[in-house]
């Protein structure tokens, strides 16, 4: 509870006794007020030669300094706490304020409401593998990354993303993420690839894709994409560690085609620059407001082809920054959208 300030008469008495030679402790005991209050009154009088209230910049804060610190501390320790919960906690100590007041206090401290990013759950072994990959490839030349054909599959929902959850965090950080797992729904699965020279093929995946279907997909789209992007015969293919990707028959297929496959750590979407393109694609597609899955597929392919060569080249050009960010995060999740 915020204490009321002392009257002008009490403050004048404090100064009078100070002039008479009394110390802070004796004044405090004589007037039955805290020593810190006596000190504050004297310091103010020394600086401004008055005990009157000075002009203030606007309405005094409804929250005490202690309560403001408590609000900031609660939001920092419990990033998923809501404004309503913070409002109730301040009311419990006698400070009833509006949600916007609490929001302004958090903003001044650098905390803003953001949607928590959804990230795969990472075990320590996953972080170590990501860190090892980033460290070992940090010194690779730009030309090496220009030869990589990046690929991935993603689910695109018909009616937008899953439910969002806001958290309090500093700008450009990836803390307090929400672990996710893949699941079905009103959506389509697509496979696509790209390089610094632009986007390759995008293919809708019908039904469950096993090893045989994946090899057929590669047979029909991989080499053609590499040819269209003029990667030559010595390009490097990137894929994740899905069982159908790492199946013995699939790896034999790559060997027979003389295609080098990039060694890839498990559970490492942040390392794949195609994640940026997926995010931009989903945003663009949902702005088109598809009403059925056939429209969703059509919009996806149109928007994928609309990706500029310069955008693809920029993602590959800044790949060393991505590796540096992974190293700084010690193999953990980071804000790849900022790259």
């Amino acid at each position: 509870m915020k204490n009321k300030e002392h009257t002008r008469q009490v403050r004048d008495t404090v100064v009078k006794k100070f002039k008479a030679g009394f110390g802070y402790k004796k004044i405090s005991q004589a007037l039955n007020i805290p020593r810190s209050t006596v000190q504050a009154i004297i310091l103010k009088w020394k600086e401004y030669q008055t005990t009157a209230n000075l002009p203030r910049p606007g309405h005094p804060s409804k929250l005490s300094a202690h309560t403001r610190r408590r609000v900031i501390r609660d939001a920092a320790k419990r990033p998923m706490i809501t404004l309503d919960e913070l409002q109730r906690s301040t009311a419990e100590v006698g400070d009833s304020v509006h949600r916007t007041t609490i929001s302004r206090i958090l903003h001044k401290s650098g905390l803003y409401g953001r949607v928590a990013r959804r990230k795969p759950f990472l075990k320590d072994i996953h972080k170590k593998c990501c860190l090892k990959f980033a460290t070992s490839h940090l010194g690779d030349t730009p030309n090496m990354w220009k030869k990589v054909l990046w690929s991935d599959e993603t689910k695109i929902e018909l009616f937008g993303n899953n439910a969002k959850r806001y958290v309090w965090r500093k700008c450009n950080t990836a803390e307090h993420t929400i672990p996710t797992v893949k699941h079905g729904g009103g959506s389509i699965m697509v496979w696509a690839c790209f390089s610094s020279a632009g986007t390759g093929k995008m293919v809708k995946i019908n039904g469950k894709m096993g090893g045989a279907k994946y090899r057929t997909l590669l047979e029909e789209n991989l080499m053609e994409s590499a040819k269209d992007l003029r990667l030559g015969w010595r390009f490097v293919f990137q894929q994740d560690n899905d069982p159908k990707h790492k199946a013995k028959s699939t790896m034999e297929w790559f060997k027979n085609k003389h295609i080098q496959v990039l060694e890839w750590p498990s559970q490492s979407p942040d390392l794949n620059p195609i994640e940026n393109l997926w995010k931009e694609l989903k945003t663009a597609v949902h702005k088109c407001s598809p009403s059925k899955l056939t429209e969703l597929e059509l919009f996806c392919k149109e928007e994928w082809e609309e990706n500029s060569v310069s955008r693809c080249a920029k993602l590959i050009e800044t790949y060393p920054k991505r590796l540096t960010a992974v190293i700084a995060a010690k193999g953990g999740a980071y804000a790849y959208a900022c790259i």
Side-chain angles (χ1 to χ4, degrees):
M1 186 73 171
K2 187 176 181 180
N3 296 325
K4 293 183 178 180
E5 61 184 20
H6 292 286
T7 63
R8 177 73 181 275
Q9 182 180 1
V10 171
R11 284 176 275 164
D12 287 341
T13 304
V14 170
V15 174
K16 184 178 180 180
K17 287 184 175 296
F18 178 75
K19 288 181 177 179
F22 288 84
Y24 291 169
K25 184 176 181 180
K26 289 186 177 181
I27 297 174
S28 172
Q29 293 173 344
L31 300 178
N32 194 28
I33 58 177
R35 185 180 183 279
S36 59
T37 302
V38 173
Q39 182 180 11
I41 293 173
I42 299 301
L43 291 176
K44 179 180 177 182
W45 172 77
K46 285 182 177 180
E47 183 174 359
Y48 299 105
Q49 297 300 311
T50 181
T51 59
N53 288 329
L54 299 174
R56 294 169 178 169
H59 194 281
S61 176
K62 291 185 177 180
L63 292 180
S64 65
H66 178 268
T67 305
R68 287 198 299 272
R69 290 194 298 269
R70 177 180 173 179
V71 168
I72 296 169
R73 183 172 62 251
D74 288 346
K77 287 185 176 181
R78 299 170 54 201
M80 291 187 182
I81 193 172
T82 64
L83 285 175
D84 287 335
E85 291 173 325
L86 290 172
Q87 187 181 33
R88 286 194 293 270
S89 68
T90 57
E92 290 174 359
V93 296
D95 292 331
S96 296
V97 293
H98 197 269
R99 286 157 42 101
T100 55
T101 301
I102 298 174
S103 181
R104 281 197 299 270
I105 291 172
L106 294 176
H107 290 174
K108 288 181 179 179
S109 70
L111 293 172
Y112 296 86
R114 297 289 185 265
V115 178
R117 295 184 180 90
R118 295 180 177 270
K119 300 282 187 179
F121 178 74
L122 295 179
K123 298 180 180 179
D124 288 340
I125 186 64
H126 297 143
K127 295 179 181 179
K128 289 180 181 178
C129 291
C130 290
L131 182 59
K132 181 180 178 181
F133 177 91
T135 303
S136 61
H137 288 283
L138 186 59
D140 290 347
T141 64
N143 286 335
M144 183 275 180
W145 297 116
K146 289 180 181 179
K147 295 179 181 178
V148 177
L149 183 61
W150 306 85
S151 72
D152 193 21
E153 298 106 43
T154 192
K155 180 184 73 172
I156 302 180
E157 297 179 346
L158 182 60
F159 298 113
N161 298 324
N162 292 322
K164 299 176 180 179
R165 182 68 187 271
Y166 283 86
V167 298
W168 296 106
R169 66 170 178 234
K170 299 285 185 179
C171 293
N172 298 326
T173 63
E175 299 174 349
H176 321 305
T177 60
I178 299 176
T180 61
V181 294
K182 296 182 180 179
H183 58 278
S187 59
I188 62 172
M189 286 292 295
V190 296
W191 173 94
C193 60
F194 92 104
S195 76
S196 64
T199 54
K201 300 291 183 181
M202 171 176 280
V203 182
K204 176 177 176 289
I205 301 171
N206 296 312
K208 186 176 181 180
M209 184 166 67
K213 183 181 286 189
Y214 181 62
R215 290 189 293 277
T216 301
L217 182 150
L218 295 176
E219 190 76 50
E220 296 175 353
N221 299 279
L222 179 56
M223 298 306 296
E224 186 176 351
S225 294
K227 182 179 178 181
D228 292 342
L229 296 172
R230 298 181 180 181
L231 294 178
W233 291 99
R234 300 181 65 182
F235 70 91
V236 178
F237 182 63
Q238 180 277 333
Q239 60 177 4
D240 60 31
N241 291 331
D242 188 283
K244 60 180 172 289
H245 298 170
K246 302 294 289 184
K248 184 177 179 181
S249 52
T250 302
M251 300 309 293
E252 283 291 332
W253 184 88
F254 285 120
K255 184 177 179 180
N256 294 334
K257 295 291 184 178
H258 304 288
I259 298 175
Q260 180 183 349
V261 180
L262 183 65
E263 286 294 329
W264 197 251
S266 299
Q267 293 288 76
S268 54
D270 286 352
L271 284 169
N272 194 342
I274 203 172
E275 293 293 337
N276 296 72
L277 296 183
W278 284 147
K279 182 178 183 296
E280 295 165 7
L281 173 72
K282 292 174 183 179
T283 301
V285 167
H286 291 140
K287 286 182 179 179
C288 298
S289 302
S291 58
K292 49 189 177 180
L293 294 180
T294 51
E295 288 184 355
L296 180 61
E297 178 184 358
L298 177 62
F299 292 153
C300 285
K301 291 182 176 179
E302 288 179 350
E303 293 295 336
W304 182 253
E305 293 175 358
E306 286 295 319
N307 280 304
S308 65
V309 174
S310 60
R311 174 56 177 150
C312 296
K314 184 67 174 179
L315 286 173
I316 305 307
E317 179 185 334
T318 58
Y319 196 70
K321 292 184 179 179
R322 187 183 298 264
L323 297 178
T324 302
V326 171
I327 294 172
K330 298 181 180 179
Y334 78 99
Y336 66 76
C338 299
I339 299 297

